[in-house]
Amino acid sequence: MIDLAVIIIYTLALLVIFIYSLSQLHLLINYLKATKTTDDAEKFDFSTEELPAVTIQLPLYNEYYVVERLLKNIGKIRYPKDKLEIQVLDDSTDHSIQKTSEIIKELQGSGLDIQHIRREKRTGFKAGALKEGLKIAKGEFIAVFDSDFVPGRNWLMETLPYFKNKKIGVVQTRWGHLNRDYSLLTRIQAFALDFHFILEQTGRNFGRNFINFNGTAGIWRKECILDAGNWSGDTLTEDLDLSYRAQLKNWEFKYLENVETPAELPVVISAARSQQFRWNKGAAENFKKNYGKLLRDRSVSFSTKFHGFFHLLNSSMFLIVLLLAVLSVPVLYIKHNNPAFDWYFNVIAGFAMSTLIFFACYYTAYARIHGKSIRSFFKFVGMFITFFSIAMGFSVHNTLAVLEGHFGKRSEFIRTPKFNINSIKDTWKGNSYLKNRFSKNVIIEGLLFIYFGFAIYSAFKLNDFGLLIFHLMLFSGFGFVFFKSIRSEV
């Protein structure tokens, strides 16, 4: 009975991943269609039409290392000064406050309408700061940039024209990466984000399914924010929450793949962990908060409900993958001890088609950035294997985040430390925002590293190599996360 239960759960996990891969395949098809379509969206012609008032909001919290780069870059954005307002929403509690104040005074001296807005209490975290600033914002349109982003000088003129269509509530741009090649950790983060910002966002937007404002590098119609119920801090991903509430109010989003807004990737695994935890827990919280409304809305298409399900449960795939990985070892022994089940295992091996689908999807996004040469293809193969290995290594950490989100455990908004790292010569050593906190999750990751070492041994013991590559990826992925975390946190 135990063997049967293991096989049933293992099969269901494979089935969920296969259905999820089909959703990604549909996004790939949409993306390929989008690349062959001319953008004929209605746009303002600002050579003859009046420019609107714009407010740029810059939410800050203890950003000593990047605040100067941020503010001086924002000060270079090309837009009439009498139409532009900049709000520095500074909830900082450290020595960055004085530095921020000095730079703001310098920019004010150049004629910029830039305000240093501070709150006594950090109520609602980032969402609360944005909401507070919105109360006094002069702009008809509200652009938001996190502290590690450096938009181009023409950014407003590349995004604002799309608001000619009065149904458009948000224009979102693609994230770029200032320090993509700093380390293996930054390369795999860029690999994942490129996939989201190229294939997923474009595929969903082209298919007229719900997409999300990504918290930064986008611009809102102020009316849309207010109509959707304003910013809320009751989830850790306030951007995803407001996005779904706005689209449920029939606002449309416009995604611009060709407008890149560069930003800095976390270079320390503890920083990547905190960011991953917030994103994954927030997505689960938003599934709980918003998917029921989406499902009950008769005006929303089946396609949008289908993609919305996997969009909001995207992070929950870590739970499925972890379950699948842990069960794969007893499955080896069940298969060995029950030859009568051979036919069944041959059938479920067909679910390996999921891997081919993911391979095609990720390659399409990778080729968009790196080209389609033979050399680029082989680099992609290595990165594909490396990325999924390390992603599985993060599965314990991310699964705990997802479970907290689904079960409603509240936690603070933990900011991701910024470093102002642009090249391999720059160092993060001595960053005052890094804390040496040993996570209990690391112990579990170390035990799983040993567990999948045993799985590799079992392949040779049982002379069954069907799952060997999978177990090698798990062994190396958990090993990478475990040893990198020990080095960073101890």
Side-chain angles (χ1 to χ4, degrees):
M1 289 298 293
I2 294 175
D3 287 358
L4 182 61
V6 168
I7 291 173
I8 290 173
I9 296 171
Y10 184 77
T11 304
L12 289 173
L14 283 172
L15 180 61
V16 171
I17 292 172
F18 178 68
I19 297 172
Y20 174 65
S21 74
L22 293 180
S23 75
Q24 300 299 93
L25 178 61
H26 187 231
L27 293 180
L28 172 61
I29 293 169
N30 282 347
Y31 175 77
L32 294 175
K33 288 180 180 178
T35 60
K36 297 176 182 178
T37 304
T38 303
D39 184 6
D40 57 356
E42 187 180 11
K43 294 190 280 287
F44 282 118
D45 179 2
F46 288 128
S47 64
T48 59
E49 298 178 85
E50 185 179 355
L51 287 164
V54 173
T55 297
I56 296 177
Q57 291 188 320
L58 308 173
L60 300 182
Y61 180 68
N62 297 347
E63 306 290 5
Y64 182 83
Y65 297 97
V66 294
V67 66
E68 182 173 3
R69 180 182 67 186
L70 169 72
L71 295 179
K72 290 190 174 179
N73 182 78
I74 293 296
K76 294 176 183 176
I77 286 183
R78 293 191 179 112
Y79 207 72
K81 290 182 179 179
D82 64 329
K83 297 281 188 177
L84 181 64
E85 172 192 42
I86 302 170
Q87 292 183 336
V88 181
L89 307 172
D90 188 6
D91 283 348
S92 299
T93 57
D94 69 346
H95 57 302
S96 68
I97 299 170
Q98 184 178 354
K99 184 177 184 179
T100 301
S101 181
E102 291 171 355
I103 300 168
I104 288 173
K105 287 177 182 176
E106 180 184 332
L107 292 173
Q108 286 172 337
S110 69
L112 274 178
D113 180 5
I114 180 168
Q115 309 164 53
H116 195 187
I117 300 173
R118 292 186 44 74
R119 300 187 296 165
E120 291 184 6
K121 293 184 179 180
R122 198 180 168 218
T123 307
F125 306 108
K126 180 181 174 181
L130 294 171
K131 187 175 183 179
E132 193 70 21
L134 196 67
K135 292 178 182 178
I136 56 172
K138 303 172 185 175
E140 180 184 353
F141 300 100
I142 313 292
V144 181
F145 296 104
D146 282 348
S147 61
D148 52 332
F149 279 74
V150 286
R153 293 188 176 189
N154 293 322
W155 193 90
L156 286 175
M157 299 308 295
E158 292 174 317
T159 55
L160 278 172
Y162 291 91
F163 286 104
K164 174 82 171 181
N165 180 348
K166 295 187 181 299
K167 294 180 180 179
I168 297 291
V170 177
V171 175
Q172 173 68 51
T173 64
R174 176 171 59 87
W175 292 7
H177 315 294
L178 294 169
N179 57 337
R180 174 193 296 273
D181 296 317
Y182 181 80
S183 66
L184 177 59
L185 183 63
T186 58
R187 285 194 291 274
I188 62 171
Q189 290 175 88
F191 185 84
L193 288 169
D194 286 343
F195 173 72
H196 170 68
F197 280 97
I198 292 172
L199 190 137
E200 289 188 318
Q201 287 287 66
T202 304
R204 290 189 184 110
N205 200 215
F206 180 82
R208 301 185 69 80
N209 303 131
F210 284 10
I211 68 168
N212 60 296
F213 167 64
N214 293 102
T216 176
I219 183 166
W220 287 80
R221 191 187 296 272
K222 184 177 180 180
E223 179 189 352
C224 173
I225 298 174
L226 298 175
D227 183 53
N230 215 323
W231 296 103
S232 172
D234 61 355
T235 73
L236 291 181
T237 45
E238 72 294 321
D239 46 1
L240 180 60
D241 174 32
L242 186 58
S243 296
Y244 265 69
R245 285 189 280 119
Q247 288 166 108
L248 283 167
K249 283 274 193 172
N250 297 317
W251 288 97
E252 297 178 6
F253 283 27
K254 179 66 178 179
Y255 178 66
L256 302 180
E257 181 196 343
N258 293 323
V259 178
E260 181 184 34
T261 310
E264 180 185 325
L265 294 162
V267 296
V268 182
I269 197 165
S270 58
R273 276 179 178 276
S274 66
Q275 187 178 71
Q276 288 285 312
F277 188 90
R278 189 174 70 249
W279 288 351
N280 287 299
K281 181 174 180 177
E285 288 174 328
N286 270 286
F287 178 82
K288 186 177 179 181
K289 178 178 179 179
N290 290 311
Y291 190 70
K293 300 172 189 174
L294 178 65
L295 192 62
R296 292 189 297 270
D297 193 328
R298 295 184 179 181
S299 67
V300 176
S301 69
F302 170 79
S303 174
T304 296
K305 291 176 181 178
F306 175 74
H307 281 290
F309 180 83
F310 284 107
H311 186 191
L312 294 174
L313 281 184
N314 194 308
S315 62
S316 298
M317 289 300 111
F318 284 105
L319 172 60
I320 303 299
V321 168
L322 181 61
L323 181 65
L324 183 74
V326 171
L327 292 180
S328 66
V329 180
V331 162
L332 266 182
Y333 285 88
I334 292 170
K335 181 181 177 185
H336 178 75
N337 296 328
N338 298 274
F341 283 160
D342 282 352
W343 66 272
Y344 183 74
F345 287 106
N346 290 332
V347 170
I348 64 175
F351 285 130
M353 180 67 68
S354 301
T355 304
L356 296 178
I357 293 173
F358 289 132
F359 187 90
C361 290
Y362 276 86
Y363 177 66
T364 300
Y366 185 88
R368 164 70 172 79
I369 300 292
H370 302 278
K372 297 182 179 180
S373 66
I374 296 296
R375 183 181 179 186
S376 174
F377 176 78
F378 282 107
K379 282 187 175 182
F380 164 76
V381 173
M383 184 55 67
F384 181 80
I385 295 171
T386 303
F387 164 70
F388 273 96
S389 298
I390 295 174
M392 288 188 288
F394 273 103
S395 61
V396 169
H397 177 77
N398 292 338
T399 291
L400 292 173
V402 165
L403 290 175
E404 283 193 13
H406 284 305
F407 286 108
K409 182 179 178 181
R410 305 297 296 170
S411 59
E412 286 194 1
F413 184 104
I414 306 298
R415 62 176 288 278
T416 304
K418 312 300 190 308
F419 304 90
N420 199 5
I421 297 290
N422 299 306
S423 72
I424 57 174
K425 295 180 181 179
D426 297 328
T427 180
W428 50 268
K429 301 290 185 181
N431 187 298
S432 61
Y433 298 130
L434 288 177
K435 306 296 182 185
N436 292 326
R437 296 175 181 168
F438 187 82
S439 170
K440 294 178 182 178
N441 297 351
V442 176
I443 298 174
I444 301 173
E445 289 157 357
L447 292 173
L448 285 170
F449 168 66
I450 297 170
Y451 180 72
F452 291 113
F454 172 74
I456 295 169
Y457 161 78
S458 298
F460 290 92
K461 178 184 177 181
L462 303 177
N463 198 33
D464 185 343
F465 304 102
L467 293 174
L468 181 60
I469 294 176
F470 182 49
H471 288 149
L472 281 168
M473 291 172 67
L474 286 161
F475 177 74
S476 59
F478 278 105
F480 175 88
V481 172
F482 173 70
F483 289 110
K484 198 82 172 173
S485 298
I486 289 291
R487 187 177 174 187
S488 171
E489 295 181 10
V490 176

